[in-house]
Amino acid sequence: MRLFLQANDTFFFRDGRPFTKGDQSEGYSIFPPLPSTILGALRTAYIAEHGDLSAFYAGKMAMTIGTPNSLGSINLNGVFLADRESTIYYPIPLDLVVKKNETANKLYILEVGTESSNHSSNASLPCLLKWFSAEDVESETNGRLEGIVMTEYLLSRHKEFDFRPIEDFVRSEPKIGIERDYRTSAAKDNMLYRINLSRFQSQFIKTKERKALSDLGFVVDYECDIELPENGMLKLGGEGKSFTYKQSFYNPDPLAAEEDMAALKETISSSGVFKLYFATPAIFNHGWLPEWIDKTTYNAQYDSLSFELITAAVGKPIAIGGWDMKKNMPKPTYQAIPAGSVYYFKISDGSCIDSIVNTFHYKNISDRQAKEGFGLCFVAVSNGNRT
C-alpha cells in the first residue's frame, strides 16, 4: 500500500545527535525523515485505529505491526519526497557533481578510471571515480532529481542531468523556546532551547526553465496484512506535528516501465558492469561495506550471485538511533551510509542479469533494519570505463 503524507503545519525531524534537556540547547534537524521515523508514525496510527498501547504491549497486534521487539508483518519499502502532481524526487546520486561557480542547476557524472600519475588515492579498490575535464567540481548532496531524470540516470542515457536545489522544497523556520516551572510559570534556568522547524514550500516563481511545484509531501510505500484506512491523520516527527494522509497510486520505481527495464538488462548484459544506487540510508555491519562483500578482495557473494566491487561513491555516515518508549531510554545508535550512495560492480562467474535485477532492484538490502525501510536500492547502468 502507498500513502501520500502532507504536513498540516511546520515539521521537525531530529538527527542522531543528543538533545538532552539542560545539556544541549540546540536540536538539529534532518530532511527528509529517516525511514524508521515514518514507520514509527505508521505503527502509532495503526495502534490508535485498532486499540491502544496496552494492547500493543500485550502482544495483541503481534501478527500485524509486531511488538516492541519485533515488526510483525509490517514492512516499509521506502519514503520519497513527492508533489501532488505525481512527481517523485530522489536524492542525488553521489557519483554526480556540479561545476563550481556555474549558476545552472546541472549535474555531471564522474567516470570510472584506473589510478594514474595524475590521479592517486589511498583506496584499495581497483578503480577510481574521476573528473577528466579542466573545470573544478564539487559534490551536491542537498538537491533532488525528478523521477524522469532519475530514470535517465539509471539507464545512463546522458552525461549531465538537471536537478532542483533543496530550497525549492523546504524552508527553515527557527524556533526558540523555554521550559517553565509549572508551579510559578516562570522560566527555568538553563532551559532555553532552539530547533529548526521546516515548512514545505507551497509555491515558487515560475520561470521558463523551472516550473512551479504543487503541494509537497511524502510517498510512503509499505506492506502490512491489515491496512490503515484510505485517509486520515497521524503524528510525525518532533513536537507531535500532524500530517494528513490518503491512499496514493504513485509508483516510486523509476524503471517501472517494461521498456526501461528491458533497456537496463540489455545494457548491463553487454557491458558486464552494473551499479547499485541507494534511495534510502543503509546500515552495514562493516561500516561502508555490506557484510556480503569481502573486506580484502572486494569479491561479493550474495546468495548464488557473484561479482566484484570495483569502485564506489559513498557519503559521510549518518547516525541512526531513536527512542525506546517502553524502556524509556535511547535505542542503540548505528552509523549508516547516506541516501544517494552508489556502488559499481563487475559481474563474474556468469551471474544471470535477471537474477541480479530481481535480487537487488527496488529491494531493501541493509544489513540491519531492512524491514524499516533502510537500504532500498535501484539497479543502474554503469557509464563505462576510462583510463
Side-chain angles (χ1 to χ4, degrees), residues 87-387:
T87 300
I88 292 181
Y89 301 89
Y90 300 88
I92 290 177
L94 294 180
D95 58 352
L96 300 181
V97 294
V98 294
K99 295 179 181 178
K100 289 185 177 180
N101 303 319
E102 184 178 72
T103 56
N105 293 323
K106 292 283 187 181
L107 292 160
Y108 303 88
I109 194 161
L110 298 174
E111 296 183 82
V112 178
T114 56
E115 189 171 321
S116 66
S117 58
N118 295 326
H119 302 84
S120 62
S121 170
N122 62 355
S124 56
L125 289 166
C127 299
L128 302 174
L129 287 171
K130 299 181 180 181
W131 177 252
F132 287 91
S133 300
E135 304 96 332
D136 291 332
V137 295
E138 59 186 355
S139 297
E140 171 58 60
T141 59
N142 287 324
R144 292 294 185 271
L145 298 185
E146 290 189 22
I148 189 171
V149 181
M150 176 54 69
T151 301
E152 294 171 350
Y153 164 80
L154 295 177
L155 296 177
S156 193
R157 286 176 172 163
H158 306 290
K159 296 290 185 181
E160 61 181 62
F161 306 91
D162 295 324
F163 77 97
R164 280 187 176 269
I166 199 66
E167 292 78 15
D168 278 8
F169 301 99
V170 290
R171 67 170 184 262
S172 178
E173 294 188 6
K175 171 187 174 181
I176 295 176
I178 59 172
E179 182 178 0
R180 293 183 180 274
D181 187 319
Y182 73 93
R183 295 168 300 177
T184 64
S185 295
K188 289 186 177 181
D189 292 339
N190 301 318
M191 290 298 175
L192 184 71
Y193 69 90
R194 179 182 185 272
I195 58 175
N196 278 320
L197 299 174
S198 298
R199 186 187 298 274
F200 280 125
Q201 298 277 30
S202 58
Q203 58 183 351
F204 308 102
I205 298 174
K206 187 175 182 180
T207 67
K208 185 180 294 185
E209 295 80 17
R210 298 164 68 192
K211 67 178 182 179
L213 294 175
S214 58
D215 293 341
L216 291 161
F218 301 112
V219 170
V220 179
D221 186 6
Y222 78 101
E223 301 165 12
C224 188
D225 285 345
I226 301 178
E227 308 289 1
L228 289 169
E230 292 187 0
N231 56 74
M233 187 175 295
L234 53 74
K235 291 183 178 181
L236 177 61
E239 298 201 325
K241 297 293 186 176
S242 66
F243 281 66
T244 56
Y245 69 83
K246 61 181 179 180
Q247 189 172 2
S248 169
F249 298 96
Y250 289 79
N251 190 338
D253 183 356
L255 299 178
E258 291 184 7
E259 58 270 24
D260 290 334
M261 183 56 70
L264 175 85
K265 293 179 180 180
E266 181 180 356
T267 307
I268 293 175
S269 180
S270 61
S271 68
V273 180
F274 70 96
K275 299 191 294 189
L276 292 182
Y277 158 85
F278 283 86
T280 62
I283 307 171
F284 294 137
N285 292 332
H286 297 161
W288 68 278
L289 275 180
E291 62 182 4
W292 39 270
I293 298 178
D294 187 276
K295 294 186 289 184
T296 303
T297 64
Y298 296 113
N299 290 326
Q301 188 74 35
Y302 197 98
D303 293 336
S304 61
L305 302 174
S306 298
F307 31 86
E308 177 190 2
L309 177 66
I310 56 176
T311 193
V314 183
K316 294 180 179 179
I318 59 176
I320 307 295
W323 187 263
D324 190 318
M325 295 186 64
K326 185 175 183 180
K327 296 179 181 179
N328 196 30
M329 62 182 293
K331 294 179 180 178
T333 299
Y334 301 101
Q335 296 295 310
I337 64 165
S341 296
V342 181
Y343 293 72
Y344 287 65
F345 295 94
K346 181 179 180 181
I347 300 172
S348 59
D349 297 337
S351 292
C352 176
I353 304 302
D354 286 337
S355 296
I356 289 174
V357 172
N358 293 336
T359 299
F360 291 110
H361 186 70
Y362 207 77
K363 298 294 193 299
N364 298 89
I365 61 169
S366 178
D367 291 344
R368 294 178 180 269
Q369 299 176 218
K371 287 191 65 174
E372 296 181 37
F374 288 96
L376 178 68
C377 69
F378 302 151
V379 177
V381 170
S382 171
N383 56 299
N385 293 3
R386 179 174 171 183
T387 57

Side-chain angles (χ1 to χ4, degrees), residues 34-62:
L34 294 172
S36 52
T37 301
I38 297 289
L39 182 62
L42 292 180
R43 295 176 84 194
T44 300
Y46 183 93
I47 291 170
E49 186 73 25
H50 297 280
D52 53 29
L53 273 176
S54 61
F56 173 66
Y57 290 148
K60 296 180 180 179
M61 304 177 186

